[in-house]
Amino acid sequence: MTSTDPLLQPYRLKHLELRNRLMSSAHEPAYSHEGLPKERYRLYHAERARGGIALTMTAGSAVVSPDSPAAFGNLHAYKDEIVPWLKELADDCHSHGAAVMIQLTHLGRRTGWNKADWLPVLAPSPTREAAHRAFPKEAEDWDLERILKDYADAAERMRAAGLDGIEIEAYGHLLDGFWSPATNRREDHHNGSLDNRLRFTRTVLDAIRKRVGPDFIVGIRMVADEAFDKGLTREEGVEIARRLVADGRIDFLNLIRGHIDTDAGLADVIPVQGMRSAPHLDFAGEVRDATKFPVFHAARISDVATARHAIAEGKLDMVGMTRAHIADPHIARKVAERREHEIRPCVGATYCLDRIYEGHEALCVHNAATGREATMPHVIARGDGPARRVVVVGAGPAGLEAARVTAERGHDVTVLEAAPQAGGQVRLAAQSPRRRELIGIIDWRLAACEAAGVVFRFNTWAEAADVLDLAPDVVLIATGGLPDTEVVETGAELAVSSWDILSGDVTPARRVLVFDDNGGHPGMQAAEVAANAGAEVEIVTPERFFAPEMGGLNHVPYARLFQERDVRITINTRLSGIARDGNELVATLGSDYSPHTHDRRVDQVVVEHGTLPLDDLYKALKPASRNHGAIDWPAVIAAKGASPFPRTNPDGEFLLARIGDAVSSRNIHAAIYEALRLTKDL
């Protein structure tokens, strides 16, 4: 039957028939190897194609010139050897019915000179970008002539690779650097009138079109409003879009609003949890109405309802759900099969992008298979062996993932949880209104467990006898940990933990010192709660900068609030002791750099130093287990289906493992990945 769902309607772009309206916009997951999209890169995009997406955009962005060195794992579009790798990727995606395009760019000032070949960074003018910190050289005519050829050469390589089209990047990079008064201070024919500022962009598009011919699809991802007083105005941006459309050189517009030269600016372009959903969607629709031209757009369109609205109301022709597809690459297939309720939600944690901008590869906070398609399954296959009795103790993210996976493998699963409801530390973190979306990590797993027949016993503090009474074949301990405040040498008993503040068990006092020796969200959330309660807050950390385990995008909401609430941030400082003096606490502060100490008088000290494993049950069960709790890590790493449980005790009654923070203090992704990799072949 023909679907009436707006998202499932085909869309014709020039000669290209796209099977629906869902796309993943260009982004760089940093899975490349030596600048080439090898197996990991290919499998990542092929999974989206298998999941029913119409268009997957690769690279964010592929660089066209050696003097545009990779800033975060970018593909090297200036190398001839990229062609066969991209062809393999395109062929794989095409075999599953998806179109493939790539984004090309010269990064301009959005990179560093001390990378790759140590060539000078180029920009229209020598204006420094705060995010990447380089002081660029003003591009000379001979630079632009060379880069012009590089663009055309790169486009020809992409056509030779069998891609369906290319997208030229023009936001925060070289081309739009000429458009914006914030970055163009030239005194030549590349500045002044709008046509002058568009001169190099038009020259590049002309060169590309001559090289690839009239039939190859060429689009542009462009900023149409930089949304700050020094930048490109809305009026000028929309006019640029009109002129580029009128020139007849491009086939689609992919719209961006904002500027990305600072973390704060980037977070408004790519919002994180607690920020507005789809904040630029209406603007994109207005540009589409003004240009009467195909418009693509992506910016925190994370749910199917919003995506459907974007198409149904004529705001977009193709809707980008990029982070949503990192969380679940099978969105289109589930929509088509009327299984929307099974879509793993994007919870806005932006763990994916924060990792990229910190020099790591993209990973989803709660889909451990993303980026690991060679070894980890997105869909759990039912096992062909006998059903086993599995007992999971703990219903946090690790325990729920273990329960979900083992149940979908066909086993009989019982979960014992001490609390009245599931969630563990995720539920605690979600108490903050700005991070409430995190509860989707728990809700999705609870629904999957229910569908798979998992039995839950809440309000059950499990002892060894409770577990053994269930006659288990496999026991998975996911009991998590408890806050460790003993890092303070003296007076630790006078401190409260970040958990105390987040749970509401302890009310913030008037003057609060938060000692963060973890560097992630918990300490920052505790400070946020205290500041919002009206407390006078100081964050003290021994780190060189605050919250190093949290990336730049998630840094922004905290930093904004801390500025507004006058929160004091003290780095390079360690809390060594706490003493009571009347109604006050005296915190002794020192550092790793000097024996000098000084005191701070406050009303409350909050200590965040991670957790210590709650592992008594694990230790009690170890002697009776067949593997004494041991894990065959080489087998786990190889992920070839071999059992991860060595049989070291022939008289043992069950296999035993502990997962997540019951092992050591880590994060949500680590807990979920550990559960998946230990149970996927059970």
Side-chain angles (χ1 to χ4, degrees):
M1 294 177 62
T2 301
S3 174
T4 59
D5 189 331
L7 283 180
L8 299 180
Q9 303 310 303
Y11 180 68
R12 190 169 186 85
L13 180 65
K14 213 168 191 174
H15 61 275
L16 181 64
E17 183 85 4
L18 297 168
R19 59 183 169 181
N20 56 54
R21 301 304 185 96
L22 289 170
M23 64 175 285
S24 177
S25 61
H27 59 288
E28 185 47 69
Y31 300 154
S32 60
H33 180 70
E34 296 179 339
L36 302 174
K38 297 188 178 181
E39 182 189 48
R40 188 181 188 188
Y41 211 104
R42 174 178 58 81
L43 293 177
Y44 171 73
H45 284 283
E47 194 68 39
R48 280 149 184 68
R50 187 177 294 108
I53 202 168
L55 170 62
T56 186
M57 283 269 196
T58 64
S61 313
V63 293
V64 301
S65 303
D67 64 359
S68 176
F72 27 77
N74 309 64
L75 298 183
H76 295 171
Y78 57 85
K79 291 182 176 179
D80 289 338
E81 53 264 46
I82 199 173
V83 173
W85 293 104
L86 279 174
K87 186 176 189 310
E88 187 177 2
L89 185 155
D91 289 348
D92 201 348
C93 291
H94 287 158
S95 72
H96 296 295
V100 185
M101 297 190 193
I102 195 169
Q103 186 181 86
L104 299 179
T105 198
H106 189 292
L107 289 165
R109 67 183 187 147
R110 194 167 170 76
T111 186
W113 51 265
N114 56 346
K115 302 173 183 288
D117 298 311
W118 283 55
L119 299 177
V121 170
L122 295 175
S125 301
T127 53
R128 183 177 188 251
E129 191 212 48
H132 288 78
R133 310 184 70 244
F135 292 92
K137 163 197 169 182
E138 180 173 304
E140 301 176 61
D141 288 344
W142 61 270
D143 290 312
L144 299 181
E145 290 169 6
R146 170 177 49 78
I147 293 168
L148 178 67
K149 181 177 182 301
D150 289 342
Y151 267 107
D153 290 345
E156 187 171 7
R157 291 186 190 99
M158 302 307 109
R159 186 185 63 173
L163 301 186
D164 296 290
I166 59 174
E167 172 181 85
I168 305 304
E169 170 75 294
Y171 83 101
H173 292 195
L174 180 65
L175 293 186
D176 61 296
F178 287 94
W179 305 355
S180 174
T183 49
N184 188 348
R185 301 173 186 171
R186 298 174 72 96
E187 297 180 354
D188 62 6
H189 60 290
H190 288 291
N191 199 4
S193 70
L194 208 53
D195 283 332
N196 279 357
R197 286 182 272 157
L198 281 171
R199 185 186 304 274
F200 185 58
T201 301
R202 284 168 158 164
T203 305
V204 166
L205 291 171
D206 275 340
I208 288 172
R209 186 55 79 187
K210 287 176 183 176
R211 191 72 67 88
V212 301
D215 296 329
F216 192 62
I217 292 173
V218 178
I220 187 166
R221 192 174 199 189
M222 61 166 285
V223 58
D225 176 10
E226 286 191 302
F228 78 128
D229 55 2
K230 298 178 182 178
L232 190 73
T233 66
R234 178 192 184 104
E235 291 73 25
E236 285 188 316
V238 174
E239 181 58 27
I240 287 173
R242 284 197 188 98
R243 294 188 190 190
L244 292 177
V245 168
D247 289 344
R249 298 170 172 92
I250 58 172
D251 301 306
F252 66 86
L253 298 169
N254 191 347
L255 292 172
I256 290 290
R257 187 175 187 223
H259 59 103
I260 59 174
D261 52 331
T262 64
D263 286 341
L266 184 63
D268 288 333
V269 173
I270 310 175
V272 302
Q273 60 187 200
M275 300 176 74
R276 284 178 56 202
S277 174
H280 312 305
L281 176 57
D282 289 342
F283 173 71
E286 290 164 9
V287 177
R288 182 178 185 270
D289 187 59
T291 59
K292 306 296 190 287
F293 202 66
V295 166
F296 303 173
H297 172 65
R300 204 166 187 244
I301 302 174
S302 56
D303 62 282
V304 168
T306 302
R308 187 175 285 122
H309 164 77
I311 300 298
E313 296 299 316
K315 296 179 183 296
L316 303 178
D317 295 285
M318 293 293 294
V319 57
M321 297 184 71
T322 309
R323 280 177 285 178
H325 276 88
I326 292 175
D328 191 337
H330 298 162
I331 292 173
R333 182 180 301 281
K334 290 177 180 177
V335 171
E337 295 174 356
R338 301 182 184 276
R339 295 190 293 128
E340 284 182 36
H341 60 284
E342 294 182 16
I343 293 172
R344 187 190 310 239
C346 173
V347 297
T350 316
Y351 186 65
C352 49
L353 291 180
D354 269 346
R355 283 185 58 84
I356 294 170
Y357 293 129
E358 297 296 317
H360 308 295
E361 82 274 44
L363 296 172
C364 176
V365 72
H366 78 123
N367 185 349
T370 292
R372 299 188 179 102
E373 284 78 10
T375 57
M376 296 294 123
H378 284 275
V379 178
I380 305 301
R382 194 170 184 85
D384 53 10
R388 300 187 184 187
R389 290 185 297 275
V390 178
V391 175
V392 179
V393 185
L400 289 178
E401 179 73 349
R404 176 188 78 89
V405 175
T406 53
E408 291 180 359
R409 290 287 290 164
H411 302 300
D412 298 321
V413 183
T414 300
V415 178
L416 308 178
E417 167 58 45
Q421 54 190 342
Q425 290 184 61
V426 173
R427 186 169 293 278
L428 185 66
Q431 295 301 306
S432 296
R434 193 175 56 77
R435 303 196 76 207
R436 63 166 57 99
E437 290 170 77
L438 285 176
I439 204 63
I441 295 171
I442 303 305
D443 290 345
W444 181 80
R445 284 176 170 77
L446 282 172
C449 285
E450 181 180 352
V454 174
V455 175
F456 285 90
R457 296 184 183 177
F458 293 108
N459 295 307
T460 301
W461 183 275
E463 303 286 356
D466 301 310
V467 174
L468 296 176
D469 283 347
L470 295 170
D473 299 305
V474 181
V475 178
L476 300 167
I477 303 298
T479 44
L482 292 175
D484 177 17
T485 59
E486 296 299 320
V487 63
V488 184
E489 294 174 11
T490 60
E493 71 280 359
L494 297 173
V496 299
S497 72
S498 60
W499 287 26
D500 294 323
I501 299 296
L502 294 178
S503 66
D505 289 344
V506 174
T507 301
R510 186 173 65 86
R511 295 172 300 170
V512 179
L513 185 149
V514 177
F515 178 57
D516 181 27
D517 195 21
N518 184 358
H521 282 282
M524 295 303 100
Q525 277 192 265
E528 181 180 61
V529 169
N532 278 331
E536 178 185 313
V537 180
E538 178 181 9
I539 299 170
V540 173
T541 175
E543 304 286 354
R544 289 178 292 163
F545 52 95
F546 83 87
E549 294 298 315
M550 188 174 62
L553 285 166
N554 273 288
H555 169 106
V556 171
Y558 292 112
R560 283 178 172 158
L561 179 88
F562 294 163
Q563 288 283 333
E564 291 167 3
R565 300 285 192 270
D566 291 325
V567 172
R568 179 178 179 181
I569 298 169
T570 303
I571 60 172
N572 292 335
T573 302
R574 202 174 280 282
L575 173 67
S576 60
I578 310 169
R580 182 171 296 284
D581 184 8
N583 291 327
E584 294 182 317
L585 295 179
V586 179
T588 301
L589 304 178
S591 80
D592 301 334
Y593 309 100
S594 165
H596 175 73
T597 64
H598 57 281
D599 292 340
R600 193 86 82 234
R601 290 183 173 270
V602 296
D603 302 305
Q604 189 176 65
V605 175
V606 181
V607 171
E608 170 53 46
H609 186 68
T611 61
L612 289 174
L614 189 58
D615 57 4
D616 290 348
L617 178 59
Y618 168 77
K619 290 176 179 177
L621 291 170
K622 272 180 70 174
S625 68
R626 273 181 278 177
N627 61 320
H628 288 143
I631 303 296
D632 183 348
W633 287 118
V636 173
I637 293 167
K640 300 297 185 183
S643 173
F645 305 107
R647 308 301 172 95
T648 57
N649 178 17
D651 298 324
E653 302 171 29
F654 51 86
L655 298 174
L656 175 68
R658 54 176 171 158
I659 52 180
D661 280 11
V663 179
S664 64
S665 183
R666 287 168 291 173
N667 67 12
I668 296 169
H669 180 87
I672 289 171
Y673 181 32
E674 193 159 73
L676 175 64
R677 69 202 305 205
L678 287 177
T679 60
K680 69 181 180 67
D681 297 311
L682 190 66

